[in-house]
Amino acid sequence: MAAAGPVALVDTHLHAQYAAHQDDIYRGYRTGQVVELALALREVTKPVVAVGDFNMREGLPEHAIFEALSGLRDQAAVLDRRAPTTLADNPYRDPGVFEPESRIDYAFARPGLQRGLRALSVERVFDEALEFEQEPGAYSDHAGVVAEFAMEGPGQTLAPIPSDAVPKASAILRASRLRSEARQRDRRAVAGAAGVAAGGSILVLRNPAVRRRRFLQWLAAGGAVLALSVGTGALTLSEIYAPRDLRAHDDVLSLLEAVQAQGR
């Protein structure tokens, strides 16, 4: 509760890309998080401020999808106060993996139905170099963002969702689901091959000639243990985690289908 009235404040941290030089295989997961968060915020009638590490850059599909579905706006862009929040000289970032300069931390906001909300300022903070026991340091591997708002003026009705937002999000999620299915097939194949290898190693162990040679016996036993370990891991991923992954994709796709059907 602010002095001027109630406001919804949301802090979040979305799935990272991890490797800037590779295809963003986690975009589907981040898009799913964006969809769930945006649709939940769409139901909030009071002024909303959503802040945090969104792990997405302006201009990427997730950024546009979040704004379109939630009705919130990137306030640094609104005020033309864009500044990178991951910095090349930060000692906690690996320049070989991460993009050296990116703006992935945000303050999104929108007015409520009854009360207005306006950003007064958005600034990058906590970006200075520090030293700890004569070693370079920083407050975090990200700089911070401080945004100041005024609750004033009349509220606004939430605009309808743009017609291209739901198909765009659905396409990303379907492509991500196909990759998840492919990973499940690959892991099942690995589990099957490991099972065959383990069975072969056990048969070798039963050979009297192998049992008379301790080195061959250890080698076959080690092969059996290794194959069983690899197979168990692959089977766990394919039959326990992969189904959860696919259900999560399906749940978000169902949300988008409902939005499409309602014509919101």
Side-chain angles (χ1 to χ4, degrees), residues 34-51:
V34 158
V35 169
E36 290 186 316
L37 177 60
L39 292 180
L41 293 178
R42 195 171 180 84
E43 302 302 317
V44 178
T45 59
K46 59 177 70 74
V48 180
V49 176
V51 299

mmCIF file of all heavy atoms in Angstrom, residues 34-51:
data_model
loop_
_atom_site.group_PDB
_atom_site.id
_atom_site.type_symbol
_atom_site.label_atom_id
_atom_site.label_comp_id
_atom_site.label_asym_id
_atom_site.label_seq_id
_atom_site.Cartn_x
_atom_site.Cartn_y
_atom_site.Cartn_z
ATOM 1 N N VAL A 34 6.714 -15.910 -19.241
ATOM 2 C CA VAL A 34 6.195 -14.596 -19.616
ATOM 3 C C VAL A 34 4.677 -14.648 -19.783
ATOM 4 O O VAL A 34 3.948 -13.771 -19.303
ATOM 5 C CB VAL A 34 6.878 -14.114 -20.916
ATOM 6 C CG1 VAL A 34 6.038 -13.066 -21.620
ATOM 7 C CG2 VAL A 34 8.266 -13.559 -20.615
ATOM 8 N N VAL A 35 4.184 -15.681 -20.460
ATOM 9 C CA VAL A 35 2.745 -15.803 -20.706
ATOM 10 C C VAL A 35 1.994 -15.944 -19.386
ATOM 11 O O VAL A 35 0.992 -15.249 -19.144
ATOM 12 C CB VAL A 35 2.455 -17.000 -21.628
ATOM 13 C CG1 VAL A 35 0.954 -17.307 -21.668
ATOM 14 C CG2 VAL A 35 2.979 -16.727 -23.035
ATOM 15 N N GLU A 36 2.453 -16.837 -18.516
ATOM 16 C CA GLU A 36 1.755 -17.047 -17.246
ATOM 17 C C GLU A 36 1.768 -15.781 -16.392
ATOM 18 O O GLU A 36 0.738 -15.411 -15.804
ATOM 19 C CB GLU A 36 2.406 -18.207 -16.493
ATOM 20 C CG GLU A 36 2.160 -19.562 -17.143
ATOM 21 C CD GLU A 36 2.675 -20.707 -16.306
ATOM 22 O OE1 GLU A 36 3.804 -20.604 -15.785
ATOM 23 O OE2 GLU A 36 1.958 -21.717 -16.168
ATOM 24 N N LEU A 37 2.922 -15.126 -16.317
ATOM 25 C CA LEU A 37 3.011 -13.897 -15.529
ATOM 26 C C LEU A 37 2.139 -12.797 -16.125
ATOM 27 O O LEU A 37 1.382 -12.124 -15.409
ATOM 28 C CB LEU A 37 4.465 -13.437 -15.452
ATOM 29 C CG LEU A 37 4.736 -12.128 -14.716
ATOM 30 C CD1 LEU A 37 4.275 -12.213 -13.272
ATOM 31 C CD2 LEU A 37 6.219 -11.772 -14.781
ATOM 32 N N ALA A 38 2.214 -12.615 -17.431
ATOM 33 C CA ALA A 38 1.469 -11.531 -18.078
ATOM 34 C C ALA A 38 -0.034 -11.723 -17.933
ATOM 35 O O ALA A 38 -0.763 -10.765 -17.642
ATOM 36 C CB ALA A 38 1.853 -11.454 -19.548
ATOM 37 N N LEU A 39 -0.516 -12.944 -18.131
ATOM 38 C CA LEU A 39 -1.956 -13.181 -18.040
ATOM 39 C C LEU A 39 -2.453 -13.032 -16.605
ATOM 40 O O LEU A 39 -3.578 -12.578 -16.374
ATOM 41 C CB LEU A 39 -2.302 -14.559 -18.595
ATOM 42 C CG LEU A 39 -2.093 -14.720 -20.112
ATOM 43 C CD1 LEU A 39 -2.467 -16.134 -20.556
ATOM 44 C CD2 LEU A 39 -2.902 -13.690 -20.891
ATOM 45 N N ALA A 40 -1.611 -13.406 -15.627
ATOM 46 C CA ALA A 40 -1.992 -13.201 -14.226
ATOM 47 C C ALA A 40 -2.071 -11.701 -13.918
ATOM 48 O O ALA A 40 -3.017 -11.242 -13.258
ATOM 49 C CB ALA A 40 -0.995 -13.888 -13.304
ATOM 50 N N LEU A 41 -1.106 -10.924 -14.396
ATOM 51 C CA LEU A 41 -1.114 -9.482 -14.140
ATOM 52 C C LEU A 41 -2.254 -8.789 -14.865
ATOM 53 O O LEU A 41 -2.727 -7.733 -14.422
ATOM 54 C CB LEU A 41 0.226 -8.874 -14.567
ATOM 55 C CG LEU A 41 1.442 -9.297 -13.738
ATOM 56 C CD1 LEU A 41 2.709 -8.660 -14.284
ATOM 57 C CD2 LEU A 41 1.247 -8.922 -12.275
ATOM 58 N N ARG A 42 -2.695 -9.380 -15.945
ATOM 59 C CA ARG A 42 -3.809 -8.778 -16.687
ATOM 60 C C ARG A 42 -5.087 -8.753 -15.863
ATOM 61 O O ARG A 42 -5.980 -7.921 -16.101
ATOM 62 C CB ARG A 42 -4.031 -9.549 -17.997
ATOM 63 C CG ARG A 42 -4.885 -8.811 -18.992
ATOM 64 C CD ARG A 42 -4.921 -9.477 -20.354
ATOM 65 N NE ARG A 42 -5.755 -8.697 -21.247
ATOM 66 C CZ ARG A 42 -5.342 -7.637 -21.926
ATOM 67 N NH1 ARG A 42 -4.079 -7.264 -21.827
ATOM 68 N NH2 ARG A 42 -6.168 -6.953 -22.688
ATOM 69 N N GLU A 43 -5.186 -9.634 -14.886
ATOM 70 C CA GLU A 43 -6.377 -9.695 -14.035
ATOM 71 C C GLU A 43 -6.333 -8.695 -12.885
ATOM 72 O O GLU A 43 -7.323 -8.530 -12.174
ATOM 73 C CB GLU A 43 -6.531 -11.111 -13.473
ATOM 74 C CG GLU A 43 -6.638 -12.206 -14.536
ATOM 75 C CD GLU A 43 -7.803 -11.985 -15.476
ATOM 76 O OE1 GLU A 43 -8.895 -11.616 -14.985
ATOM 77 O OE2 GLU A 43 -7.633 -12.180 -16.694
ATOM 78 N N VAL A 44 -5.196 -8.045 -12.687
ATOM 79 C CA VAL A 44 -5.048 -7.098 -11.570
ATOM 80 C C VAL A 44 -5.629 -5.744 -11.984
ATOM 81 O O VAL A 44 -5.286 -5.214 -13.041
ATOM 82 C CB VAL A 44 -3.564 -6.942 -11.186
ATOM 83 C CG1 VAL A 44 -3.411 -5.928 -10.050
ATOM 84 C CG2 VAL A 44 -2.972 -8.293 -10.783
ATOM 85 N N THR A 45 -6.486 -5.190 -11.162
ATOM 86 C CA THR A 45 -7.155 -3.937 -11.516
ATOM 87 C C THR A 45 -6.466 -2.698 -10.953
ATOM 88 O O THR A 45 -6.697 -1.598 -11.440
ATOM 89 C CB THR A 45 -8.611 -3.953 -11.015
ATOM 90 O OG1 THR A 45 -8.616 -4.132 -9.594
ATOM 91 C CG2 THR A 45 -9.393 -5.076 -11.682
ATOM 92 N N LYS A 46 -5.616 -2.878 -9.934
ATOM 93 C CA LYS A 46 -4.906 -1.720 -9.370
ATOM 94 C C LYS A 46 -3.660 -1.428 -10.210
ATOM 95 O O LYS A 46 -3.274 -2.242 -11.061
ATOM 96 C CB LYS A 46 -4.527 -1.993 -7.915
ATOM 97 C CG LYS A 46 -3.648 -3.208 -7.704
ATOM 98 C CD LYS A 46 -3.243 -3.366 -6.243
ATOM 99 C CE LYS A 46 -4.374 -3.770 -5.359
ATOM 100 N NZ LYS A 46 -4.775 -5.202 -5.525
ATOM 101 N N PRO A 47 -3.008 -0.275 -10.019
ATOM 102 C CA PRO A 47 -1.756 -0.010 -10.731
ATOM 103 C C PRO A 47 -0.739 -1.122 -10.459
ATOM 104 O O PRO A 47 -0.680 -1.672 -9.352
ATOM 105 C CB PRO A 47 -1.290 1.322 -10.140
ATOM 106 C CG PRO A 47 -2.545 1.985 -9.675
ATOM 107 C CD PRO A 47 -3.419 0.877 -9.177
ATOM 108 N N VAL A 48 0.058 -1.456 -11.472
ATOM 109 C CA VAL A 48 0.999 -2.576 -11.390
ATOM 110 C C VAL A 48 2.405 -2.112 -11.737
ATOM 111 O O VAL A 48 2.608 -1.386 -12.716
ATOM 112 C CB VAL A 48 0.596 -3.709 -12.355
ATOM 113 C CG1 VAL A 48 1.591 -4.867 -12.262
ATOM 114 C CG2 VAL A 48 -0.812 -4.203 -12.064
ATOM 115 N N VAL A 49 3.371 -2.557 -10.938
ATOM 116 C CA VAL A 49 4.794 -2.385 -11.237
ATOM 117 C C VAL A 49 5.423 -3.775 -11.158
ATOM 118 O O VAL A 49 5.294 -4.467 -10.143
ATOM 119 C CB VAL A 49 5.480 -1.435 -10.237
ATOM 120 C CG1 VAL A 49 6.986 -1.363 -10.525
ATOM 121 C CG2 VAL A 49 4.856 -0.050 -10.287
ATOM 122 N N ALA A 50 6.086 -4.196 -12.234
ATOM 123 C CA ALA A 50 6.750 -5.497 -12.281
ATOM 124 C C ALA A 50 8.230 -5.267 -12.544
ATOM 125 O O ALA A 50 8.601 -4.665 -13.552
ATOM 126 C CB ALA A 50 6.149 -6.373 -13.369
ATOM 127 N N VAL A 51 9.073 -5.740 -11.620
ATOM 128 C CA VAL A 51 10.509 -5.506 -11.717
ATOM 129 C C VAL A 51 11.255 -6.825 -11.606
ATOM 130 O O VAL A 51 10.709 -7.833 -11.160
ATOM 131 C CB VAL A 51 10.987 -4.554 -10.596
ATOM 132 C CG1 VAL A 51 10.314 -3.198 -10.704
ATOM 133 C CG2 VAL A 51 10.725 -5.158 -9.209
#
